[in-house]
């Protein structure tokens, strides 16, 4: 994958125009981990003040180009045992010591500024078409700037448009602006702390800022990443009651 | 002797599985000794579970216990809420054997398709927030097949004693576009077909419906003289709830539900029941249960969370649309990492001759502390 990125970079340096969707696929390919399992700390801030903090364990499976995620809250104690199923805008939550799973609308985010899409997204190409790809500089780094638009079949995606900056050499995301379909800027995300698992490289830290209230931001930090095969039929609301980490 | 044995078992389980999830719940409230006012409690609940891996299957055992003291009569109580074994056979098949709580409805205030009822009700007077947590499961077998996009489930609750009814429930769940739906076939002391489902429209609106059709059931009506009640057989009874939740922003939501309660009364029958209750005094709630005597009810719930201080405000109203009586409550819940503190004030309103006008008290106030250790 790195070789492919180098070839793409070389072509771009020589003035060849790159097919934006091809670049996007390579960006996704760099980060892809099959049957991803992860532990993540999510901390929400208002300015410097910490207002919320969660630790979650997640299982992610890609089925028919769509990500399905099962999440188990491990911290704080008051939230321990909360379980969620995320599948695009299809979201269910089961609270500890209750038996009725509740369906949530995308607006009912439970993770600070982080949306369901932020937690579940490992791929841009499955939901978005890249319209343009051009050279740029972002955060002092030489970058490629891509404009993404939600595919017709993914109109229900959390965001209608994304402007994504990736490191020109490594093709890894460094910054993104997320817009609604009507073009309103919603979130700014900074990707950092790149780490490697097997052949994949992923951003270990995502700092998500609310565009309307910039003082509000949420840091998503991967504390552990791995791979585990989980049957597809476990990713259903009916399984939430049986879902545990043991 | 039985009580001693229960306490001993409880202590042994607690000592043996110190890693279990434990939470304490203390609830204080004005206690008038009736269905409207919760008693004062200090209780400890333990939830245990362990999964044992097997090459092609996994076994898990689970248990949940609640024990404590009711301050009103200073009696100690203990009960097993759930205990059993769950087997993940593989290929989407699951079997649960033992005592288990099963909730299948999707409504917020009422859930017509929550068919399986009948577990013990010690501590049922607790606040709405804790009531579900301490309800007891039923002993039986639950077999489920989860395929891709479909779930079949069969639950059988045998009759273990004379106070209990044999029950069986078959269900099929799937998706139609973005909408979930579940179809039920129930057989207990009555036979019923059920359907519930929900969907989301746009970013903010969730719609749900929860309904059942019951072949035949009994209800109480005042006799001709109006001084007693008779039992009437009712055929083809519909109990349906339609509701929605609108999220204004991630921390603010409004839920509205309408319930058509086919087993309820209206018109002259409803007036006769009010007359009977007013003149002869038996509790409507003993005869019909809470929010069940009328045919039309409306519920509203507004919730807002102030994330900076982890404080949640909750306003609720349950309204009998036939006599405009009901109850409204305001609740504040403060969350901490290891605990939550909840305060709820509830007011019952309505004319003297109305469902909630007959309520023996007009207001309650409860305070609840949950600690998670």
């Amino acid at each position: 994958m790195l070789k492919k990125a180098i070839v793409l970079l070389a072509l771009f340096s020589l003035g060849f125009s790159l097919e934006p969707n091809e670049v996007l696929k390579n960006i996704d390919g760099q980060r892809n981990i099959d049957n991803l399992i992860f532990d993540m700390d999510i901390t929400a801030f208002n300015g410097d003040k910490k207002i919320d903090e969660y630790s979650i364990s997640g299982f992610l499976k890609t089925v028919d180009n769509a990500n399905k995620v099962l999440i188990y809250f491990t911290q704080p104690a008051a939230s321990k045992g909360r379980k969620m199923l995320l599948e695009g805008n299809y979201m269910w939550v089961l609270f500890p010591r209750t038996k009725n799973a509740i369906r949530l609308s995308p607006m009912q985010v439970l993770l600070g500024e982080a949306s369901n899409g932020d937690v579940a997204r490992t791929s841009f190409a499955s939901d978005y078409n890249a319209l343009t790809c051009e050279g740029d500089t972002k955060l002092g780094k030489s970058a490629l700037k891509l404009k993404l638009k939600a595919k017709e079949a993914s109109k229900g995606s959390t965001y209608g448009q994304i402007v994504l900056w990736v490191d020109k050499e490594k093709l890894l995301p460094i910054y993104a602006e997320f817009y609604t379909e009507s073009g309103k800027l919603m979130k700014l995300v900074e990707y950092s702390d790149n780490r490697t698992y097997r052949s994949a490289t992923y951003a270990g830290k995502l700092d998500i800022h609310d565009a309307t209230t910039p003082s509000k931001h949420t840091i998503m930090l991967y504390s552990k990443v791995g791979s585990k095969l989980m049957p597809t039929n476990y990713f259903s609301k009916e399984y939430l009651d049986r879902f545990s980490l043991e | 002797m039985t009580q001693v044995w229960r306490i001993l078992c409880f202590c042994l389980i607690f000592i043996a599985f110190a890693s279990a999830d434990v939470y304490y719940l203390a609830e204080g409230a004005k206690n008038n000794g009736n269905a409207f006012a919760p008693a004062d409690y200090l209780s400890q609940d333990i939830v245990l579970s362990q999964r044992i891996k097997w090459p092609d299957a996994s076994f898990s055992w689970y248990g949940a216990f609640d024990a404590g003291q009711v301050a009103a009569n200073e009696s100690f109580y203990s009960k097993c809420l759930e205990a059993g074994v769950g087997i993940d056979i593989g290929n989407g098949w699951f079997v649960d054997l033992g005592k288990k709580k099963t909730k299948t409805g999707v409504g917020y205030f009422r859930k017509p398709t929550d068919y399986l009822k009948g577990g013990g009700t010690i501590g049922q007077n607790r606040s709405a927030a804790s009531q579900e947590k301490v309800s007891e499961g039923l002993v039986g077998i639950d077999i489920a097949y989860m395929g891709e996009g479909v779930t079949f489930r069969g639950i059988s609750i045998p009759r273990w004693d004379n106070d209990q009814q044999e029950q069986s429930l078959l269900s099929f769940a799937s998706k139609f576009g973005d909408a979930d739906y579940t179809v039920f076939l129930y057989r207990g002391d009555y036979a019923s077909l059920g359907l519930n489902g929900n969907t989301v429209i746009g970013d903010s609106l969730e719609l749900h419906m929860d309904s059942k059709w019951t072949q035949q059931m009994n209800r109480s009506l005042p006799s001709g003289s109006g001084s007693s009640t008779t039992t009437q057989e009712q055929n083809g009874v519909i109990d349906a709830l339609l509701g929605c939740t609108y999220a204004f922003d991630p921390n603010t939501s409004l839920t509205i539900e309408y319930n058509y309660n086919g087993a309820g009364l209206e018109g002259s029958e409803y007036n006769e029941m009010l007359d009977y209750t007013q003149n002869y005094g038996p509790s409507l709630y003993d005869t019909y249960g809470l929010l069940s005597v009328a045919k039309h009810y409306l519920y509203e719930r507004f919730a807002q969370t102030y994330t900076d201080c982890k404080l949640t405000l909750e306003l609720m109203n349950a309204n009998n649309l036939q006599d405009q009586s009901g109850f409204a409550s305001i609740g504040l819940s403060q969350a901490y990492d290891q605990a939550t503190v909840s305060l709820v004030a509830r007011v019952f309103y309505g004319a003297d001759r109305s469902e909630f006008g007959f309520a023996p008290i007009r207001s309650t106030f409860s305070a609840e502390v949950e600690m998670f250790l």
Side-chain angles (χ1 to χ4, degrees):
Chain A
M1 187 53 67
L2 188 62
K3 281 179 189 168
K4 206 167 179 182
I6 292 167
V7 172
L8 281 169
L9 174 65
L11 288 170
F12 190 77
S13 320
L14 291 169
F16 286 92
S17 65
L18 299 177
E19 210 291 299
N21 281 314
E22 190 63 27
V23 178
L24 193 61
K25 277 183 191 164
N26 280 289
I27 293 167
D28 286 342
Q30 291 277 84
R31 308 185 301 152
N32 185 49
I33 300 171
D34 285 335
N35 298 302
L36 172 70
I37 59 169
F38 59 88
D39 288 346
M40 183 187 277
D41 298 320
I42 300 173
T43 313
F45 295 88
N46 192 355
D48 292 334
K49 188 186 170 193
K50 190 192 290 181
I51 53 173
D52 232 341
E53 195 171 19
Y54 296 103
S55 295
I56 60 173
S57 292
F59 297 77
L60 187 148
K61 194 173 184 84
T62 306
V63 182
D64 298 333
N65 270 338
N67 283 347
K68 298 177 180 218
V69 187
L70 280 171
I71 287 175
Y72 191 99
F73 285 66
T74 52
Q75 289 289 338
S79 301
K80 187 179 174 184
R82 186 189 298 176
K83 305 167 198 175
M84 289 179 83
L85 169 71
L86 308 177
E87 190 185 331
N89 284 347
Y90 182 71
M91 302 188 298
W92 287 83
V93 62
L94 182 66
F95 288 99
R97 298 181 301 284
T98 66
K99 293 285 176 180
N100 290 100
I102 297 168
R103 185 156 181 186
L104 300 174
S105 60
M107 183 65 83
Q108 292 173 295
V109 181
L110 300 175
L111 307 163
E113 300 309 314
S115 71
N116 54 321
D118 298 322
V119 176
R121 184 182 303 106
T122 55
S123 158
F124 290 103
S126 56
D127 289 329
Y128 295 88
N129 278 319
L131 305 179
T132 61
C133 174
E134 57 195 43
D136 199 4
T137 303
K138 195 72 181 175
L139 303 176
K141 292 178 185 169
S142 184
L144 292 178
K145 179 184 175 185
L146 291 98
K147 286 189 179 170
L148 314 181
K149 193 168 175 57
K151 289 179 180 173
E152 202 56 40
S154 309
K155 284 286 183 193
S157 299
T158 314
Y159 308 104
Q161 305 168 46
I162 301 174
V163 181
L164 174 69
W165 284 265
V166 295
D167 186 295
K168 201 170 174 180
E169 289 178 19
K170 299 171 186 165
L171 291 186
L172 291 169
I174 52 178
Y175 197 80
E177 293 173 351
F178 292 82
Y179 296 83
T180 61
E181 212 173 324
S182 61
K184 186 185 174 192
L185 180 61
M186 298 294 288
K187 282 177 190 170
L188 311 162
V189 180
E190 193 178 330
Y191 301 83
S192 60
D193 192 12
N194 288 331
R195 301 172 196 174
T196 303
Y197 175 76
R198 295 182 180 165
S199 62
T201 307
Y202 63 95
K205 182 181 173 185
L206 282 75
D207 194 352
I208 303 166
H209 285 258
D210 183 345
T212 50
T213 318
S215 62
K216 286 189 172 178
H217 72 119
T218 297
I219 293 177
M220 288 166 46
L221 196 65
Y222 285 97
S223 54
K224 207 184 277 181
V225 158
S227 185
K228 184 180 179 181
L229 188 62
M230 190 112 158
T232 307
N233 47 16
Y234 282 15
F235 293 82
S236 70
K237 68 178 169 63
E238 285 79 16
Y239 183 70
L240 282 178
D241 187 33
R242 292 176 165 86
F243 174 41
S244 73
L245 292 181
E246 284 113 17
Chain B
M1 188 59 196
T2 312
Q3 192 77 328
V4 173
W5 175 240
R6 279 182 172 183
I7 294 167
L8 194 62
C9 287
F10 172 78
C11 293
L12 283 172
I13 290 164
F14 180 68
I15 293 163
F17 303 102
S19 63
D21 294 337
V22 180
Y23 75 98
Y24 293 92
L25 191 147
E27 184 175 15
K30 178 183 173 189
N31 179 14
N32 287 25
N34 59 53
F36 289 89
D40 300 324
Y41 281 94
L42 179 63
S43 76
Q44 173 180 290
D45 288 28
I46 304 177
V47 180
L48 310 158
S49 71
Q50 183 69 49
R51 183 171 291 190
I52 302 156
K53 290 285 177 193
W54 202 256
D56 297 318
S58 74
F59 298 81
S60 60
W61 61 265
Y62 57 87
F65 306 88
D66 179 44
Q69 188 159 22
V70 185
N73 53 16
E74 296 186 348
S75 64
F76 178 83
Y77 73 90
S78 65
K79 58 180 175 174
C80 168
L81 308 177
E82 296 189 290
V85 181
I87 308 167
D88 177 352
I89 297 171
N91 297 321
W93 286 94
F94 299 86
V95 177
D96 286 358
L97 283 164
K99 190 173 188 179
K100 188 181 173 189
K101 288 194 261 189
T102 306
K103 303 283 180 184
T104 44
V106 298
Y108 185 86
F109 285 89
R110 279 189 65 147
K111 301 174 177 69
T113 55
D114 258 359
Y115 281 110
L116 300 173
K117 291 168 185 164
T121 53
I122 299 168
Q124 68 170 350
N125 291 350
R126 283 176 162 176
S127 69
S130 61
Q131 192 167 319
E132 188 182 339
K133 294 171 190 170
V134 295
S135 66
E136 272 186 86
L138 293 165
V139 179
I141 182 168
D142 178 355
I143 301 172
Y145 169 73
M146 293 179 201
E148 284 188 32
V150 293
T151 299
F152 293 94
R153 196 171 178 191
I155 302 172
S156 176
I157 311 291
R159 186 174 183 177
W160 299 103
D161 57 53
N162 291 336
D163 298 333
Q164 196 199 345
Q165 187 71 38
E166 183 181 339
Q167 300 179 77
S168 51
L169 181 68
L170 293 173
S171 69
F172 168 77
S174 188
K175 280 174 78 177
F176 182 76
D178 200 30
D180 281 283
Y181 67 91
T182 308
V183 181
F184 299 91
L185 184 59
Y186 172 79
R187 180 74 217 183
D189 53 354
Y190 59 88
S192 177
L193 284 170
L195 173 68
N196 70 35
N198 51 28
T199 191
V200 166
I201 297 173
D203 276 351
S204 304
L205 185 64
E206 181 267 351
L207 298 174
H208 55 267
M209 61 88 73
D210 199 335
S211 61
K212 71 179 174 190
W213 176 86
T214 302
Q215 187 186 23
Q216 190 178 72
M217 62 190 297
N218 295 329
R219 66 174 180 177
S220 293
L221 282 174
S223 62
S225 64
S227 60
S228 61
T229 56
T230 57
T231 302
Q232 184 194 53
E233 237 174 41
Q234 225 185 341
N235 296 314
V237 182
I238 290 171
D239 188 357
L241 179 136
L242 190 64
C244 66
T245 296
Y246 184 81
F248 297 93
D249 60 52
N251 300 306
T252 312
S253 67
L254 175 67
T255 300
I256 297 176
E257 290 182 339
Y258 165 73
N259 178 214
Y260 173 80
N261 171 33
L265 308 173
E266 65 180 345
S268 59
E269 287 179 338
Y270 185 70
N271 284 323
E272 284 167 17
M273 182 55 88
L274 293 181
D275 289 340
Y276 168 68
T277 305
Q278 191 170 33
N279 297 328
Y280 297 95
S283 166
L284 267 182
Y285 315 103
D286 291 343
T287 315
Y288 274 88
L290 200 62
L291 294 163
S292 297
V293 67
K295 261 193 162 59
H296 307 281
Y297 290 96
L298 189 69
Y299 311 101
E300 306 98 42
R301 174 183 180 264
F302 173 83
Q304 176 146 33
T305 299
Y306 303 92
T307 49
D308 283 3
C309 52
K310 293 187 180 179
L311 182 71
T312 299
L313 167 71
E314 186 179 63
L315 304 171
M316 287 206 292
N317 182 47
N319 191 221
N320 174 332
L321 293 175
Q322 290 168 212
D323 61 19
Q324 299 307 321
S325 68
F327 60 83
S329 68
I330 178 169
L332 283 173
S333 179
Q334 176 69 57
Y336 302 94
D337 284 353
Q338 302 283 341
T340 57
V341 179
S342 307
L343 304 173
V344 180
R346 180 169 288 181
V347 178
F348 298 88
Y349 59 85
D352 288 346
R353 192 176 160 283
S354 65
E355 179 179 1
F356 289 94
F358 292 132
I361 51 171
R362 308 307 299 169
S363 61
T364 64
F365 178 79
S366 66
E368 186 176 300
V369 179
E370 272 187 274
M371 293 177 68
F372 308 94
L373 305 175

